[in-house]
Amino acid sequence: TDEALELLRVHRQFDEAVKAVQGGETVDPDDVPGPPPPLTPKPPAPQAAQPPQQQQQQQPAAQPAAAKPSASGGGLAGELAARQAAYKQLQTKAQEAGDSGKARRMGRILSQYAEAVAAVRAGGPTAAGYDFSSLPPPPGFGPLPAATPAAAAKPAGSSGASAGAAAAAAATAMGGKAGAQLRVLMQRQQQYKLAAVQAKRTGDMATAKRMLGYARGCEPMLQAAQAGMPVDLAQLPPLPGESAAPAAAAPAPAAAPSAAVICEVSELPKELQGNALKDPEAVYDALEKTLKEKLALAEENARRFKSMGQITTADRWAKLGRSATADLDYLLGQRRLKRPPPKFNFIWQSVSAVRCNPDLGENTLEVKVLNGISLPLPEGFKESDLETQVKIELPISTESPLTQSTGWVKASANPSYDFATRFEVNRKARSTARVFKTRGLKFDVMYRRGFLKKDGLLGSATMKLEELETQCTLHRGIDLMDGRKAVGGRLEVQVRLREPLSGAQTDQVREQWLLIEHTNQELPPSRQASASRAGGSRAGHPQGSVPESSAYVLQYEISLLKPHAGTNSKAAEAVRGLEQRLAQHKQLLANCGEAEKRQYCSVLQQLSATYAQHAKSALQEKDRGKAEKFLKKKKEADREFQDVSSRLR
């Protein structure tokens, strides 16, 4: 405090000297005080003297820590230690002076420095992700060195991580607008690459090459962003289906159309792994089932987001639905022609989805009893003697509760029931919510005691359903009880509603999406010569192939969109695409022989049945407008079938 008072007096003398000079007076330079001595942190207060033996024991323990190379080099670690010592000294002085508030403040700062020291010692992503600029410097200390721990951790002469990992670490360590721009650039480059892969799968090589060029063009901007220079993200070309590049300072949205990564083999459905791929019919069944599920999911989400006013997300789901429809049509066509299953792949799509199960009705509650786990054995029973069944009870009404039973499973204490049943409940009734919250579902595990003996109760389990207020799917393992006593063993069950009781809710999810590779089949050798002589308009359409859609349906879809094409750019683009498909369709049909036209009639019959099924599903969902459109398409497919078949007779 004496030194501070002295410096304050010198400061006032300088103020008087400045006023005198401004007033025209002369000041003797010899009277001006000299500069103050530099402020250096004092070493920490010496601790109480310790016996020599303890000092010798502590010294070897400290040597390994000093010898261990720091994740960031000696510079940053030493600076942190010096600042930590300075704050400890300030905390000690505050405690001695009785300033408890300042002592607590110094303690909070010391805890921040302890976290920073731990991050430096850990190294790797932990050190790279720590924001060292947030540490307040003690009095007399400047800012921390600019070198980041990630840069210091790389030993001289080592190759280090890949360029992508280094850029990711730099983006994590770099804060503010520069870090946000770097993250947007990295994500955008990945999106260009994925768009190129998807375009190549669909046969659009021009788009694939353009997207690949965009990805390579991001490299100079990435280098500039890593150096801390500002970049103009508005110069980034848009992705297919986008109208503009991402915002300059905001990270790319999680639900960008190409924000996808290819799934690993282990993540694929079991029906499409390993030996299952050897059976073509099984592969076709699995692909068709998956595509229909994805199509239903896309249509449901598109409808719901449109009703919620989120048009951009609804368009995104509609686009995914159109992709699934095209893949399904192609898959069915290949199957009808007895060709091998096409190549396929699954990708992870990051999308905004409505939390729902579109395959269920509005008032349907689905209950699945999947497995029994380590069921207890009754006295005198061996596992080979055990035969069990599960009875399900939903007490919506105390007089007549809803009940169902699984089948009997023999000779297993870990039975696989794999049983599903559906109950109709009034989700809007207050009694339903009350039963879900207070009583729930009851499961009784029964076992057969022997010939002419009544079935015995092995244990009961109750599953409360109050979580269905905010969730539409519950998957639980519940313990078996005898009253309040646990008897051992569990049941694995799943309960589903169409949507939570509180209403539709949106969430950011990662969805596996199936992509089918569309390729033109090569002709048999005996027909290659005649196909090559055809030339002209027949090039690009192998002889023997038939159209996989209806020309009359395409004309109907064009008639629906054409009135809006003048004012809506998306409608105009859709009309152009449909007209191009119609022209290719007519050209291909003109090149078909009588046998191929008979196959085309089979295609039209299959399309008619598909449209009828879609119309039925729409009516069940009470979407009358959608049902009418599908019925109209069915009529057009039937009308074309009559016209084509009549010309063959």
Side-chain angles (χ1 to χ4, degrees):
T1 56
D2 295 339
E3 185 179 0
L5 292 173
E6 180 63 27
L7 292 174
L8 184 60
R9 283 195 292 270
V10 172
H11 176 70
R12 289 174 179 171
Q13 291 177 12
F14 269 99
D15 287 342
E16 295 175 359
V18 169
K19 291 179 181 179
V21 171
Q22 291 176 349
E25 300 180 13
T26 58
V27 177
D28 188 359
D30 295 335
D31 295 337
V32 177
L39 180 63
T40 57
K42 297 181 181 180
Q47 299 178 353
Q50 297 178 350
Q53 292 181 356
Q54 293 185 9
Q55 294 179 3
Q56 291 176 1
Q57 291 176 359
Q58 292 178 2
Q59 185 174 359
Q63 285 177 358
K68 182 180 177 180
S70 166
S72 61
L76 183 57
E79 289 287 344
L80 290 173
R83 285 162 166 74
Q84 204 172 14
Y87 274 118
K88 285 181 180 178
Q89 183 180 3
L90 291 174
Q91 184 186 33
T92 303
K93 287 184 178 181
Q95 291 173 347
E96 293 174 352
D99 191 349
S100 59
K102 183 176 180 181
R104 287 194 300 270
R105 189 167 64 253
M106 295 300 105
R108 289 193 294 269
I109 295 175
L110 280 172
S111 64
Q112 295 180 24
Y113 272 89
E115 292 177 0
V117 170
V120 170
R121 289 176 180 171
T126 305
Y130 195 88
D131 185 10
F132 292 93
S133 62
S134 64
L135 296 173
F141 285 77
L144 283 167
T148 63
K154 186 177 178 180
S158 66
S159 60
S162 63
T172 305
M174 190 182 300
K177 183 177 179 180
Q181 287 184 335
L182 182 55
R183 287 190 291 273
V184 171
L185 278 171
M186 292 168 58
Q187 187 174 8
R188 199 66 171 182
Q189 186 183 45
Q190 182 68 10
Q191 291 173 0
Y192 287 141
K193 292 178 180 179
L194 290 167
V197 172
Q198 293 185 16
K200 184 179 179 181
R201 285 201 188 99
T202 58
D204 190 355
M205 299 306 296
T207 302
K209 292 179 181 179
R210 187 171 71 255
M211 291 296 110
L212 190 58
Y214 291 164
R216 292 173 179 170
C218 289
E219 291 295 339
M221 299 180 74
L222 278 171
Q223 295 174 2
Q226 290 174 8
M229 300 172 61
V231 293
D232 184 10
L233 296 181
Q235 296 180 3
L236 290 174
L239 289 161
E242 282 188 346
S243 58
S258 295
V261 293
I262 298 176
C263 298
E264 299 292 337
V265 175
S266 59
E267 297 172 325
L268 298 182
K270 294 181 180 179
E271 298 86 353
L272 297 171
Q273 291 186 35
N275 293 330
L277 296 175
K278 296 180 180 179
D279 184 1
E281 290 301 316
V283 173
Y284 268 122
D285 290 340
L287 292 176
E288 183 177 348
K289 176 185 175 184
T290 303
L291 283 173
K292 287 181 177 178
E293 291 174 352
K294 300 305 178 185
L295 179 58
L297 180 66
E299 291 176 346
E300 178 72 16
N301 279 283
R303 182 179 67 82
R304 289 187 175 274
F305 277 111
K306 187 174 182 180
S307 65
M308 295 164 61
Q310 300 184 25
I311 304 303
T312 303
T313 308
D315 289 346
R316 166 80 195 284
W317 279 108
K319 184 177 180 181
L320 289 174
R322 290 193 296 271
S323 173
T325 301
D327 285 348
L328 182 59
D329 291 344
Y330 177 79
L331 182 75
L332 295 176
Q334 296 296 301
R335 190 172 193 174
R336 283 192 297 268
L337 298 175
K338 307 296 183 182
R339 291 173 178 167
K343 295 181 180 179
F344 63 91
N345 210 336
F346 282 85
I347 61 173
W348 284 112
Q349 292 275 11
S350 296
V351 288
S352 293
V354 176
R355 228 182 278 171
C356 69
N357 295 304
D359 58 313
L360 299 179
E362 183 178 0
N363 293 316
T364 301
L365 175 73
E366 182 186 73
V367 181
K368 290 183 178 180
V369 181
L370 303 175
N371 300 296
I373 304 170
S374 301
L375 298 182
L377 295 176
E379 186 177 355
F381 275 70
K382 296 183 294 185
E383 184 173 351
S384 57
D385 301 330
L386 189 63
E387 187 174 357
T388 59
Q389 178 192 54
V390 179
K391 291 185 177 180
I392 309 165
E393 180 179 315
L394 179 62
I396 290 292
S397 170
T398 54
E399 293 81 10
S400 56
L402 304 176
T403 59
Q404 277 289 353
S405 299
T406 69
W408 290 93
V409 179
K410 299 180 180 180
S412 177
N414 296 280
S416 177
Y417 299 105
D418 209 10
F419 174 80
T421 185
R422 294 183 178 184
F423 299 111
E424 290 299 319
V425 297
N426 186 359
R427 56 180 294 126
K428 296 181 181 179
R430 292 183 180 180
S431 59
T432 301
R434 184 170 61 253
V435 169
F436 282 5
K437 289 180 180 179
T438 58
R439 305 185 67 179
L441 275 168
K442 184 180 179 182
F443 301 90
D444 291 332
V445 181
M446 312 298 294
Y447 73 98
R448 282 183 171 163
R449 299 170 58 198
F451 184 64
L452 296 179
K453 291 184 179 180
K454 187 178 180 181
D455 298 337
L457 178 64
L458 201 60
S460 299
T462 302
M463 182 179 181
K464 295 294 182 63
L465 304 177
E466 66 270 12
E467 293 181 55
L468 291 176
E469 186 72 25
T470 56
Q471 300 181 38
C472 58
T473 301
L474 301 180
H475 190 178
R476 300 285 184 270
I478 49 179
D479 296 322
L480 293 181
M481 311 289 289
D482 183 7
R484 295 186 178 182
K485 177 184 174 183
V487 298
R490 312 186 84 195
L491 274 182
E492 181 187 0
V493 299
Q494 185 185 71
V495 180
R496 297 196 306 151
L497 279 176
R498 182 180 179 86
E499 61 185 35
L501 292 176
S502 58
Q505 298 182 9
T506 61
D507 202 358
Q508 200 70 22
V509 298
R510 293 178 75 232
E511 183 73 28
Q512 268 191 347
W513 206 260
L514 173 61
L515 297 178
I516 303 293
E517 184 173 336
H518 296 215
T519 57
N520 290 326
Q521 299 288 331
E522 294 184 0
L523 296 177
S526 61
R527 304 184 66 178
Q528 288 180 355
S530 59
S532 61
R533 286 194 299 269
S537 61
R538 299 177 72 160
H541 297 288
Q543 188 174 354
S545 61
V546 298
E548 297 166 3
S549 57
S550 166
Y552 288 13
V553 172
L554 290 175
Q555 291 173 350
Y556 168 67
E557 291 178 344
I558 292 172
S559 67
L560 290 179
L561 291 172
K562 254 190 175 179
H564 309 285
T567 57
N568 190 320
S569 59
K570 290 185 178 180
E573 183 180 355
V575 168
R576 287 194 295 271
L578 289 172
E579 289 177 342
Q580 184 178 2
R581 283 182 60 191
L582 181 60
Q584 294 174 352
H585 182 286
K586 291 180 177 179
Q587 180 182 354
L588 185 58
L589 190 59
N591 295 330
C592 289
E594 184 174 347
E596 287 80 11
K597 288 183 178 179
R598 294 188 184 279
Q599 290 183 5
Y600 180 54
C601 288
S602 300
V603 171
L604 292 174
Q605 288 179 318
Q606 181 66 34
L607 286 174
S608 176
T610 302
Y611 290 139
Q613 183 63 35
H614 286 329
K616 183 178 179 181
S617 300
L619 284 174
Q620 290 176 349
E621 297 172 2
K622 299 182 180 180
D623 191 343
R624 190 174 183 84
K626 185 177 178 181
E628 289 177 352
K629 289 181 180 179
F630 278 122
L631 288 175
K632 178 64 176 176
K633 290 181 180 180
K634 178 185 181 302
K635 291 180 180 179
E636 294 296 326
D638 291 339
R639 190 163 64 89
E640 186 175 7
F641 171 77
Q642 294 293 336
D643 292 346
V644 175
S645 59
S646 63
R647 290 195 292 268
L648 293 175
R649 296 167 185 168

